[in-house]
Amino acid sequence: MKRTLLITGGAGFIGSHVVRRFVTKYPDYRIVNLDKLTYAGNLANLRDVERCPNYVFERGDICDLDFVCDRMQRYAVDGVIHLAAESHVDRSIRDPFTFARTNVLGTLSLLEAARRCWDGKWEGKLFYHISTDEVYGALGLDGGLFTETTPYAPHSPYSASKASSDHFVRAYHDTYGLPTLVTNCSNNYGPYQFPEKLIPLMINNIRRRKPLPVYGRGEHVRDWLYVEDHARAIDAIFHGGKVAETYNIGGFNERRNIDLVRTLIRTTDRLLGNPEGYSDGLITYVADRAGHDLRYAIDSSKLERELGWRPAVSFDEGIERTVRWYLENEAWLDEVVSGEYERYYERMYGAR
Ligand code: NAD
Ligand code: DAU
């Protein structure tokens, strides 16, 4: 094997796309997927690659320093792509400590494991930390974009924990010389996203004729990126990015939540053969999220300029693919929503 990469959180939404891309595109890399399999981690997301000879799954907690050190040494890991995290803002409002533990202490334990394991031999090593645009806070509706130099101003316990983890990553570079790199990405969508997030939640509720909860008046704006484009950016940056740099990754694709929900209704109804407007009445305005950031929008021109990356999948194409995928994979959705997949993993791997 030419290299061994440790990908954390590879059983989650974005991680599974990154693992699939690296396992299939680089057969001479060994890919070790380290995941705790929380409620958000599902090995069914990787069934198509789980038997590939260059793929290894390790169930474990990134907060467990001894375990991480052991696996990094055992596999002679020379690159880390760190995605494991608690990722849902609403959950962070209810349970901030879990977010501080996994996102802050978990990242710190991975950094420390890499520092000990690589022990100053930095040549050919890279610790690549995946972060979010939410660390930059919120933009107004009158324009402006987050750039790599926008000051951090997180508002939710989730974004505060991600901001803290970003600071630790940079501190490990500046203090110990660990070769690190950080990217901050906008909202992803696509197959295998846990249906608590806006897009899969809405598709699932339209399908099951349940209310579509829109927070506040639905005027909040997000910048949407198809998940495979994010995985492609991670590949380009892992191989061509400069150590100690930050790159923003965005979709150039802003949508108000209410407009996005209407697009999802139109697309889902059409694919289900329902008449136009059939599900409009499901829209239900509910209490706003506490501390709800009004608008996110990313300037990813640095990434385009330096590494030639731009999103390849248009929003219309991405939404069509995504809605089709959820409708064609109802079994996956039902399993995830009912919690049946958790019982399956309990039988296979023991209690979570
Ligand atoms: P996800 O919630 O779908 O998956 C997270 C994965 O991490 C799961 O497989 C889970 O089991 C695993 N995990 C959680 N705690 C763990 C622990 N202590 N030890 C080991 N594994 C653990 O998340 P996602 O949406 O795929 O996001 C992945 C990363 O990308 C996160 O770091 C997130 O902050 C970042 N990000 C997400 C988005 C987005 O729109 N989803 C955008 C920008 C950045
Ligand atoms: O910007 C990147 C971030 O995008 C990632 O770092 C996070 O991990 C990811 O979860 C996502 O955060 P958001 O809070 O933007 O995503 P979410 O899908 O939860 O919500 C998108 C928007 O839709 C947000 O403005 C809140 C709103 N919303 C969400 C849900 C779940 C609703 O109106 N109704 C809902 O039921």
Side-chain angles (χ1 to χ4, degrees):
M1 289 289 167
K2 206 160 126 194
R3 314 192 56 162
T4 297
L5 309 190
L6 180 72
I7 298 184
T8 70
F13 165 49
I14 302 172
S16 63
H17 289 274
V18 175
V19 166
R20 177 175 299 100
R21 182 177 180 92
F22 276 77
V23 166
T24 54
K25 191 171 168 206
Y26 302 107
D28 51 352
Y29 289 10
R30 176 166 52 190
I31 304 301
V32 182
N33 172 13
L34 190 163
D35 198 298
K36 184 180 175 184
L37 298 180
T38 67
Y39 80 95
N42 188 348
L43 288 180
N45 299 357
L46 287 166
R47 272 194 192 128
D48 52 335
V49 295
E50 68 189 4
R51 289 183 202 290
C52 291
N54 62 334
Y55 172 72
V56 181
F57 175 67
E58 286 282 352
R59 188 180 187 192
D61 188 337
I62 53 166
C63 299
D64 183 343
L65 179 58
D66 291 340
F67 171 80
V68 178
C69 280
D70 177 81
R71 294 309 187 272
M72 283 194 71
Q73 241 130 22
R74 182 181 301 183
Y75 293 111
V77 167
D78 55 19
V80 175
I81 304 180
H82 173 35
L83 296 111
E86 290 292 338
S87 70
H88 190 43
V89 174
D90 293 330
R91 286 181 189 255
S92 81
I93 295 168
R94 290 195 296 273
D95 178 17
F97 283 93
T98 301
F99 282 68
R101 179 185 181 275
T102 292
N103 298 358
V104 185
L105 297 180
T107 300
L108 179 56
S109 119
L110 266 185
L111 287 163
E112 183 57 22
R115 180 172 88 89
R116 288 187 194 174
C117 192
W118 294 340
D119 194 21
K121 299 174 202 73
W122 306 138
E123 187 66 31
K125 312 290 197 308
L126 183 64
F127 187 107
Y128 177 2
H129 175 62
I130 306 296
S131 191
T132 170
D133 60 359
E134 299 202 12
V135 298
Y136 298 125
L139 295 163
L141 293 178
D142 50 349
L145 298 170
F146 295 133
T147 71
E148 287 80 0
T149 56
T150 302
Y152 275 30
H155 295 135
S156 73
Y158 163 69
S159 51
S161 68
K162 291 295 291 187
S164 172
S165 67
D166 295 7
H167 290 317
F168 269 107
V169 173
R170 295 191 179 105
Y172 262 65
H173 172 267
D174 296 348
T175 308
Y176 305 110
L178 191 80
T180 62
L181 208 159
V182 178
T183 56
N184 298 83
C185 187
S186 64
N187 286 62
N188 284 217
Y189 70 101
Y192 300 114
Q193 187 167 30
F194 195 84
E196 64 186 352
K197 305 281 171 72
L198 182 71
I199 289 183
L201 176 86
M202 294 294 163
I203 299 169
N204 191 40
N205 285 10
I206 297 166
R207 172 178 83 95
R208 303 199 318 171
R209 304 219 44 76
K210 289 176 60 184
L212 308 177
V214 174
Y215 297 166
R217 300 305 304 161
E219 77 276 25
H220 298 80
V221 174
R222 297 291 182 265
D223 173 5
W224 294 95
L225 177 69
Y226 191 65
V227 62
E228 286 178 9
D229 275 331
H230 190 187
R232 201 165 48 78
I234 290 172
D235 183 352
I237 293 162
F238 181 80
H239 289 101
K242 288 196 203 102
V243 166
E245 287 287 324
T246 298
Y247 298 89
N248 279 354
I249 309 171
F252 299 103
N253 184 39
E254 294 181 49
R255 291 288 185 282
R256 284 196 318 158
N257 290 343
I258 187 63
D259 298 332
L260 172 56
V261 170
R262 291 193 193 287
T263 301
L264 292 168
I265 290 177
R266 263 198 315 279
T267 311
T268 310
D269 273 343
R270 175 170 51 75
L271 292 173
L272 287 173
N274 295 331
E276 213 180 308
Y278 184 67
S279 300
D280 290 355
L282 296 176
I283 292 178
T284 308
Y285 292 97
V286 299
D288 208 352
R289 174 185 277 172
H292 198 171
D293 288 332
L294 183 56
R295 175 172 162 257
Y296 303 142
I298 276 277
D299 176 356
S300 50
S301 54
K302 173 177 173 184
L303 180 55
E304 182 170 5
R305 213 172 39 249
E306 294 191 9
L307 295 174
W309 177 92
R310 263 192 82 81
V313 180
S314 71
F315 185 66
D316 288 349
E317 169 68 20
I319 287 292
E320 182 82 15
R321 278 194 211 176
T322 301
V323 176
R324 270 187 198 283
W325 187 87
Y326 286 100
L327 296 181
E328 284 165 8
N329 289 275
E330 290 187 350
W332 182 91
L333 257 180
D334 289 339
E335 207 179 89
V336 169
V337 173
S338 70
E340 186 48 45
Y341 78 112
E342 305 214 51
R343 290 185 276 283
Y344 170 76
Y345 289 115
E346 273 162 29
R347 287 198 299 276
M348 296 287 286
Y349 298 99
R352 285 168 191 254

